[in-house]
Amino acid sequence: MVGCPEELARAFPDHLHEGKVNLKDLLPSELEAFVRLLGQSPYRARQLIRWLYVRRVGAFADMTDLSRAFRELLEAVAVLPSLHLASPQESLQDTTKFLFTLPDGNPIESVRMRYLEHLGPGRLAVCLSSQVGCAMGCEFCASGKLGLVRNLQAWEMVDQVLAIQRRVDARGERVANVVFMGIGEPLHNFRNLLRAIRILNHGDGLGIGMRHIAISTSGVVPAIRRLAEKRLPLKLAISLHATRDELRDRLMPVNRRWNLAELLASCREYQAATGRRMTFEYVMLDGVNDSLEEADRLVELLGGLRSLVNLIPWNPVDHPSFRRSSKIRVRAFQERVQQGGLRCTVRREKGSDIDAACGQLRLREIRRNVGAAPRAENTPAFSAGG
Ligand code: SF4
């Protein structure tokens, strides 16, 4: 039989959900292959894309320009899972943090930001999670405390955008920017990350431009090189946070595997391949990395790179070792970096009033449900993803 469940399962073994093909996890080209296997014209794939990502329906029954017979066939062989929205938390500062529950019960979180200066009216940015938990173990991060549970599938990343977009559709607002800066090391989930980006970017669907998609990494050097080889105009942000290996080794264990010299070399390769300016995130920790000497070293380290340094006021989690740098110290650091010839901004604080430090909302939810807490896998911490 054309398109029998066994044949479809063989064709899409990595994209099954409850034994059926998960259409939301397929790339547009794979959707075309899927409809062909069902004996349909490729045009049906474009119709499905529009229903899923433009009209954003959640059930085959709502796809009213498809024949009843085709919809019944889809019901029999395919599924459209979705994330469950557990709690939106409104912030005082135009930031909304969402806690989602995945089909397997794991919680993840996303953040919606509106009124960012560079976006313009009605255009929003969302910050997505790419993993359940994180293996990278950064000293200052709530997510790092729980370890990695699993990678998110591509559809689980895209569905964060769809769920948020649906909530703002009535206001005529549009998610225009996506940043993979939530929970997880996105380059640790390389294959699914790129699949999610291709789905978000597709012109018949959400149409979010590659230049409006940013990936933030702790510094997984082989994956940065691999991403450079793809020559996609994606924005890459490096969580730097230190200018000496000795300190970075302590703050970010990834540095023990790939030190600052290797990291900066991979950034130069990325810039040469994509032409994109690099962003360096630098969290300001009082008395740890916020001296003027550190500012000078930062200028030296980034010499020759077209870059933006983004200083992040420390957003305290329950970590007794770190304190927030004073505004005076942050300002002095910023001026010193600017005097060195680099662009340097201070991140406007969005959401510190709503547990918006990375992973805090998820951490709180897990603590509330003690006993249901996910167990971290023994996944190698520094693989470059699939
Ligand atoms: S800061 Fe990012 S990379 Fe580091 S542990 Fe947290 S989520 Fe992972």
Side-chain angles (χ1 to χ4, degrees):
M1 168 190 164
V2 171
C4 69
E6 294 75 23
E7 187 183 0
L8 292 168
R10 274 197 304 277
F12 303 102
D14 297 333
H15 311 291
L16 300 179
H17 185 88
E18 295 169 353
K20 297 181 181 179
V21 180
N22 176 0
L23 298 194
K24 290 167 102 174
D25 204 45
L26 297 188
L27 297 173
S29 56
E30 292 167 337
L31 261 178
E32 223 175 277
F34 169 82
V35 298
R36 275 186 211 278
L37 278 173
L38 294 183
Q40 302 282 324
S41 104
Y43 174 67
R44 295 275 173 242
R46 283 205 296 284
Q47 281 181 301
L48 282 170
I49 290 169
R50 288 194 68 74
W51 279 115
L52 291 176
Y53 302 111
V54 180
R55 299 191 193 177
R56 299 183 263 281
V57 302
F60 296 122
D62 296 331
M63 300 181 178
T64 47
D65 63 356
L66 304 182
S67 70
R68 181 187 291 258
F70 185 43
R71 279 184 274 159
E72 284 172 0
L73 181 56
L74 289 172
E75 292 280 3
V77 299
V79 277
L80 304 174
S82 55
L83 305 185
H84 172 69
L85 179 58
S87 74
Q89 253 190 322
E90 290 294 334
S91 157
L92 300 174
Q93 297 167 298
D94 309 326
T95 302
T96 307
K97 190 149 192 171
F98 297 87
L99 182 71
F100 292 108
T101 311
L102 302 170
D104 64 4
N106 275 305
I108 55 163
E109 58 193 55
S110 324
V111 180
R112 180 185 75 202
M113 294 160 280
R114 54 161 52 94
Y115 310 127
L116 293 182
E117 303 75 19
H118 62 284
L119 290 182
R123 293 164 77 82
L124 311 172
V126 294
C127 173
L128 305 185
S129 292
S130 55
Q131 296 182 305
V132 180
C134 183
M136 308 313 276
C138 299
E139 180 65 16
F140 45 78
C141 172
S143 304
K145 293 186 197 318
L146 294 172
L148 176 68
V149 178
R150 69 171 175 87
N151 283 332
L152 292 191
Q153 294 175 300
W155 79 269
E156 291 169 322
M157 292 181 244
V158 175
D159 224 48
Q160 295 169 58
V161 177
L162 281 179
I164 291 172
Q165 180 62 63
R166 264 192 223 106
R167 289 178 69 86
V168 298
D169 273 341
R171 287 199 280 244
E173 294 176 330
R174 189 170 94 78
V175 175
N177 274 48
V178 167
V179 291
F180 288 92
M181 205 177 272
I183 298 171
E185 164 51 68
L187 295 186
H188 203 178
N189 185 11
F190 194 90
R191 180 171 175 272
N192 291 342
L193 173 76
L194 278 198
R195 291 179 63 85
I197 287 172
R198 292 195 192 282
I199 294 170
L200 292 168
N201 172 250
H202 195 265
D204 290 337
L206 288 160
I208 299 172
M210 291 273 180
R211 302 186 76 80
H212 298 280
I213 298 177
I215 299 169
S216 175
T217 177
S218 59
V220 185
V221 165
I224 294 173
R225 296 211 159 104
R226 207 166 144 201
L227 193 62
E229 284 165 14
K230 305 270 177 207
R231 293 183 181 271
L232 301 171
L234 297 164
K235 193 166 161 186
L236 189 62
I238 307 291
S239 297
L240 195 66
H241 309 321
T243 60
R244 292 170 282 126
D245 280 322
E246 177 212 0
L247 176 60
R248 199 163 189 272
D249 282 354
R250 186 156 66 83
L251 296 179
M252 306 181 72
V254 66
N255 198 69
R256 295 176 209 155
R257 182 71 175 265
W258 297 290
N259 65 19
L260 281 165
E262 290 173 280
L263 175 59
L264 270 297
S266 71
C267 291
R268 286 175 216 287
E269 283 172 37
Y270 188 82
Q271 186 156 87
T274 63
R276 294 296 323 252
R277 184 179 72 188
M278 306 289 300
T279 300
F280 292 90
E281 309 283 353
Y282 196 95
V283 68
M284 297 293 287
L285 304 171
D286 184 45
V288 176
N289 66 354
D290 63 348
S291 69
L292 294 182
E293 292 73 40
E294 300 277 359
D296 291 340
R297 257 197 300 274
L298 186 56
V299 170
E300 204 177 309
L301 210 57
L302 303 187
L305 266 170
R306 205 154 54 80
S307 58
L308 168 73
V309 176
N310 194 19
L311 304 180
I312 306 169
W314 168 238
N315 198 353
V317 285
D318 46 353
H319 197 302
S321 312
F322 299 124
R323 286 189 317 269
R324 187 186 181 87
S325 302
S326 68
K327 283 191 173 147
I328 293 172
R329 244 171 126 80
V330 173
R331 182 79 192 134
F333 192 98
Q334 180 189 22
E335 284 174 1
R336 189 71 158 233
V337 172
Q338 288 170 336
Q339 282 158 12
L342 297 183
R343 283 196 62 198
C344 183
T345 54
V346 179
R347 183 186 288 177
R348 222 178 100 197
E349 288 188 79
K350 292 195 154 284
S352 57
D353 54 323
I354 55 158
D355 296 337
C358 178
Q360 281 184 325
L361 187 61
R362 173 176 171 269
L363 191 65
R364 206 178 56 178
E365 180 68 10
I366 289 168
R367 280 181 183 150
R368 210 158 54 84
N369 301 318
V370 188
R375 197 171 48 82
E377 281 175 359
N378 290 324
T379 309
F382 302 117
S383 92

